[in-house]
Amino acid sequence: MARIYFPADANSSVSTVDHCLRAKNNISLIVGSKNPTNTWLSVEEVRDLRRALDSADNKAEKHCIAGASVWKRFSTEGGINPDVILVGCGVEVTFEIIAAAAILRNAGVRVRVVNINDLLILGEVGSHPHALDEEAFESLFTADKPVIVNFHGYPKDISGLLFSRKSKVGRSRVSLAVLASWDSS
């Protein structure tokens, strides 16, 4: 079994590496950045996310084990009843999604920010052992709101995972973006 990880920051990376080193009989690929970046999840948030899966406490580890989570801090009212879902999968693209969310919130658009750490959770149930079931999938992406995915890679990789799902995920609802990261220097 293979897993492909795109941790969003250093703390998520440490938690992901820890998770991979504990895993047995897996091939794990971690895609990261060698550039200094912001830290979005604190070590405590990462531990809490991991414990939350085991008991229910920490955000970065929980996020890493779950494979994705709603980042309430960057969403409108914790991501409740969004007009659009912005999804980041990778370091620089998560920074861009957070910046886009701020612009949209300031314009009065209700946003939910979702970060994906484990790419293969997007696949249809049965295609991968960690694929989200329909209920978990809809809890992240809703059943009917537009979804914009910003990803470090080829759009066909994401579309191949998403468009095979039975839920109403289609080309009219999901937009795939491969955006160049900007350099402020």
Side-chain angles (χ1 to χ4, degrees):
M1 177 178 59
R3 292 188 87 173
I4 304 170
Y5 297 96
F6 290 85
D9 64 10
N11 291 333
S12 296
S13 294
V14 169
S15 179
T16 299
V17 168
D18 178 64
H19 178 71
C20 291
L21 291 174
R22 294 171 192 259
K24 304 225 186 277
N25 302 317
N26 289 334
I27 297 169
S28 299
L29 171 64
I30 302 172
V31 180
S33 176
K34 59 185 175 183
N35 297 316
T37 60
N38 290 335
T39 301
W40 305 112
L41 296 177
S42 70
V43 172
E44 291 74 27
E45 286 176 317
V46 174
R47 283 188 192 132
D48 289 340
L49 286 171
R50 186 163 215 157
R51 283 186 204 126
L53 291 174
D54 297 334
S55 63
D57 306 34
N58 183 348
K59 285 191 182 172
E61 287 185 50
K62 183 178 180 179
H63 171 69
C64 294
I65 294 171
S69 62
V70 174
W71 285 16
K72 295 178 181 180
R73 177 174 26 160
F74 303 107
S75 302
T76 307
E77 295 177 10
I80 304 296
N81 194 26
D83 296 322
V84 64
I85 294 91
L86 302 178
V87 181
C89 186
V91 177
E92 285 82 6
V93 296
T94 297
F95 173 77
E96 293 164 348
I97 286 294
I98 290 170
I103 292 167
L104 291 172
R105 282 193 318 270
N106 289 337
V109 178
R110 298 180 58 82
V111 298
R112 174 182 293 169
V113 173
V114 174
N115 183 265
I116 296 172
N117 185 52
D118 181 353
L119 182 64
L120 298 178
I121 64 161
L122 296 177
E124 184 177 16
V125 174
S127 66
H128 193 274
H130 298 107
L132 297 173
D133 62 27
E134 291 304 312
E135 182 180 342
F137 187 85
E138 286 189 9
S139 75
L140 287 173
F141 304 109
T142 75
D144 59 352
K145 302 297 182 188
V147 178
I148 299 171
V149 179
N150 196 3
F151 169 62
H152 270 308
Y154 297 106
K156 69 178 181 175
D157 295 336
I158 297 287
S159 63
L161 292 167
L162 289 177
F163 298 149
S164 66
R165 294 191 72 89
K166 291 182 174 92
S167 63
K168 307 256 186 297
V169 178
R171 286 165 180 81
S172 62
R173 193 163 89 84
V174 177
S175 298
L176 302 170
V178 180
L179 303 173
S181 298
W182 57 274
D183 183 5
S184 60
S185 56

